[in-house]
Amino acid sequence: MQISLKNYTLRYLIPGILLVMAIWASLFYAYILDEVYDNVDDGLKNQKIEIIREAYGNPELLETKAFGVNQFRIVQVNEKDYSPVNVFRNEFIYMPYDEEDEPYRILKTGFYAKDGKTYSLEIRTSTVEEDDLMLDLATALLVLYIVIVLSIFLINQFVLTKAYRPFRKILQNLQAYRFGGVNNLAKVESNVIEFNQLNTEINQMIQRNEDVFAEQKRFIENASHELQTPLAITINRLDLLMEDEDLPEKHLVQLAETKDAIHRMVNLNKSLLMLSRIENRQFQDVEQISFNDSTREVINDYEDLIAFKQLDLRLDCKADFYVRMNPNLAQVLISNMLRNAIKYNHAEGVIAIEITQGEWKIRNSSTGLPLNEKFIFQRFHKQSQDALSNGLGLAIVKSIVDSYPGLSIVYSFENNFHVFSLNFKNS
């Protein structure tokens, strides 16, 4: 599933923050606990000094055998068990008030009393409960994490949305760009160096494409013109030669075949030029086209050919079919479809055109098997061995259809009829 850039970064940012906070919380917990024990140990060592001093002045303290209100006890020990080193340990001691064990920090050390005997001193003090500290820390971190995530989300929605506005405008320009329409692109202004560089590079690329497009357009038009002129001259000279009554019939037949071949070359040149102009989007003007009216006009142009081939043409306009497109391309599209239906039909065959809202359908009786749906719209693919066909009629139709979003064409074979359906979905 595709997502926007800001949401993509957010998807990786949130787990990253969670991981960083977990590592930081562990280190922070260890650091706080160490600081707590360090402060408690300093207090116990200070308390130790005060108790030993008091014991020198007040020997009765040496009789404190159990922890009491003062939270220390003094026990006489043998010389071999004596150690003046401060030893700290943690221990849980039952507290009647809370009816549970509470953590305590205990200092154990040794000292010489005024009478020269050795004693062991233990001092204890209550410390923080680690599980409570962990729970409080986890709660605080969870709240902090939620606040950070919400803050990032809000920043992402409002701040980054504004920051990425030039980038979105660049994308919109790319989506709206068509050959020859470079002047219609919106101006992009930004203080971000990368966005300005991206926009500059894209504008330069578009300009290079425009230059290549213009050069290609000139080349195709010039090449087509240069081809049409000698071909027309050649056809005229062949006509003059064929008017010579002294030529044998065999030579006249050869001249006629040559003339037909040149006519095919002329038609091929025109078809290739038309394909190139369509794909280079040189038909920019669009208007609301009524396929009902255009179909009637094209039928009038082919009346003689239809009558010559004794075809039964049926036009059924059940609704108006409108498409916003170039009027010349609409005429070419309908003309190619009708000419295709005439050419690949048998004598006294049927051509039925049905127009409904959103669909233009043409059916013609078949002279053979179904067409190969994978190849019928490809260039130079001939539906039969017709020598007059250049295999570009349906390729031009497909190129026109692909030029307009929402317009589509499909082929089917129904009851020995070739059926081409032109559909339009207005988005």
Side-chain angles (χ1 to χ4, degrees):
M1 182 180 67
Q2 296 182 340
I3 59 176
S4 63
L5 178 61
K6 63 178 183 178
N7 291 332
Y8 179 81
T9 56
L10 192 64
R11 185 174 67 179
Y12 288 96
L13 192 60
I14 290 177
I17 292 175
L18 181 61
L19 178 62
V20 170
M21 290 187 65
I23 296 174
W24 177 83
S26 300
L27 297 176
F28 180 74
Y29 174 77
Y31 173 77
I32 291 297
L33 204 59
D34 183 70
E35 285 295 312
V36 168
Y37 287 149
D38 186 61
N39 290 330
V40 170
D41 292 347
D42 289 343
L44 289 174
K45 286 186 284 187
N46 185 69
Q47 193 174 353
K48 161 199 155 182
I49 295 173
E50 292 180 354
I51 292 173
I52 293 175
R53 286 177 179 175
E54 186 67 22
Y56 267 82
N58 184 9
E60 293 180 358
L61 287 179
L62 299 176
E63 303 300 325
T64 308
K65 306 298 183 183
F67 292 104
V69 177
N70 294 323
Q71 295 294 302
F72 74 89
R73 67 182 180 183
I74 299 175
V75 179
Q76 185 176 354
V77 295
N78 298 325
E79 185 75 28
K80 63 179 181 178
D81 296 327
Y82 168 76
S83 174
V85 178
N86 295 327
V87 178
F88 297 94
R89 73 175 188 273
N90 295 320
E91 187 175 312
F92 281 88
I93 299 175
Y94 179 77
M95 294 287 104
Y97 177 78
D98 294 329
E99 295 184 349
E100 63 178 2
D101 292 337
E102 296 290 344
Y104 271 75
R105 187 73 167 170
I106 299 176
L107 165 63
K108 183 176 182 181
T109 187
F111 68 95
Y112 283 95
K114 189 176 181 179
D115 56 7
K117 297 179 181 180
T118 56
Y119 290 86
S120 172
L121 171 63
E122 285 185 287
I123 311 170
R124 71 182 186 185
T125 183
S126 177
T127 61
V128 295
E129 296 187 31
E130 293 187 34
D131 53 348
D132 291 342
L133 178 62
M134 180 68 76
L135 179 62
D136 293 341
L137 181 60
T139 303
L141 288 177
L142 178 62
V143 173
L144 179 61
Y145 178 74
I146 294 174
V147 171
I148 291 176
V149 169
L150 289 176
S151 301
I152 292 176
F153 179 78
L154 294 176
I155 292 173
N156 202 39
Q157 285 295 112
F158 297 102
V159 178
L160 293 185
T161 298
K162 183 177 180 181
Y164 278 108
R165 192 172 298 164
F167 181 71
R168 289 198 303 273
K169 188 174 291 186
I170 293 173
L171 291 180
Q172 291 171 359
N173 282 343
L174 285 175
Q175 293 170 349
Y177 170 68
R178 297 293 182 271
F179 281 117
V182 65
N183 295 328
N184 299 328
L185 300 181
K187 187 177 181 181
V188 179
E189 296 180 353
S190 175
N191 295 325
V192 180
I193 296 176
E194 287 78 6
F195 287 162
N196 287 330
Q197 289 177 341
L198 177 62
N199 187 52
T200 300
E201 292 297 327
I202 289 177
N203 287 335
Q204 291 176 355
M205 180 190 68
I206 289 176
Q207 190 58 52
R208 288 194 295 270
N209 288 342
E210 289 288 322
D211 294 340
V212 172
F213 168 71
E215 185 65 28
Q216 181 182 7
K217 178 181 175 183
R218 285 193 297 270
F219 171 78
I220 292 173
E221 292 176 349
N222 293 337
S224 175
H225 177 74
E226 293 299 325
L227 281 173
Q228 291 287 5
T229 301
L231 289 174
I233 294 173
T234 303
I235 290 175
N236 291 333
R237 288 181 178 176
L238 289 174
D239 288 335
L240 291 175
L241 286 173
M242 293 174 68
E243 292 177 0
D244 189 351
E245 297 179 356
D246 296 332
L247 282 176
E249 183 179 352
K250 181 177 69 172
H251 291 170
L252 286 174
V253 172
Q254 291 176 346
L255 288 174
E257 292 175 351
T258 303
K259 183 180 176 181
D260 289 341
I262 295 175
H263 272 299
R264 289 198 302 272
M265 187 178 297
V266 171
N267 292 333
L268 177 63
N269 183 56
K270 290 180 179 179
S271 297
L272 288 174
L273 177 61
M274 173 62 70
L275 266 176
S276 177
R277 294 180 65 192
I278 293 171
E279 292 178 352
N280 289 335
R281 302 186 182 275
Q282 293 180 230
F283 298 90
Q284 295 291 329
D285 299 332
V286 296
E287 58 185 66
Q288 193 81 350
I289 301 297
S290 170
F291 267 63
N292 302 56
D293 297 337
S294 297
T295 301
R296 294 188 185 97
E297 294 175 5
V298 173
I299 289 175
N300 290 334
D301 295 337
Y302 286 92
E303 274 186 346
D304 294 339
L305 183 58
I306 294 171
F308 174 78
K309 205 166 182 178
Q310 298 179 335
L311 298 176
D312 180 16
L313 177 63
R314 305 166 187 174
L315 176 61
D316 184 10
C317 297
K318 296 181 178 179
D320 293 327
F321 181 49
Y322 289 99
V323 179
R324 281 193 59 82
M325 64 184 303
N326 183 273
N328 294 328
L329 291 185
Q331 288 284 339
V332 171
L333 190 155
I334 297 173
S335 178
N336 280 15
M337 294 301 301
L338 182 57
R339 187 165 61 247
N340 185 78
I342 295 172
K343 183 180 294 185
Y344 302 105
N345 211 325
H346 56 75
E348 299 182 356
V350 176
I351 298 177
I353 301 177
E354 181 182 334
I355 303 177
T356 59
Q357 186 175 7
E359 183 178 43
W360 185 93
K361 181 184 293 185
I362 184 168
R363 304 165 64 248
N364 67 278
S365 49
S366 171
T367 59
L369 298 174
L371 305 177
N372 192 326
E373 299 181 29
K374 295 182 179 179
F375 303 108
I376 55 175
F377 294 113
Q378 291 186 2
R379 299 179 186 182
F380 304 110
H381 174 73
K382 298 183 180 182
Q383 303 176 35
S384 71
Q385 298 303 318
D386 186 356
L388 298 178
S389 174
N390 56 30
L392 290 176
L394 290 179
I396 291 176
V397 169
K398 189 65 168 64
S399 182
I400 294 173
V401 169
D402 291 342
S403 299
Y404 296 94
L407 199 60
S408 62
I409 187 169
V410 294
Y411 165 78
S412 60
F413 189 75
E414 304 171 0
N415 300 323
N416 289 326
F417 273 80
H418 298 296
V419 182
F420 288 90
S421 300
L422 187 69
N423 299 282
F424 180 71
K425 294 182 180 180
N426 193 351
S427 57

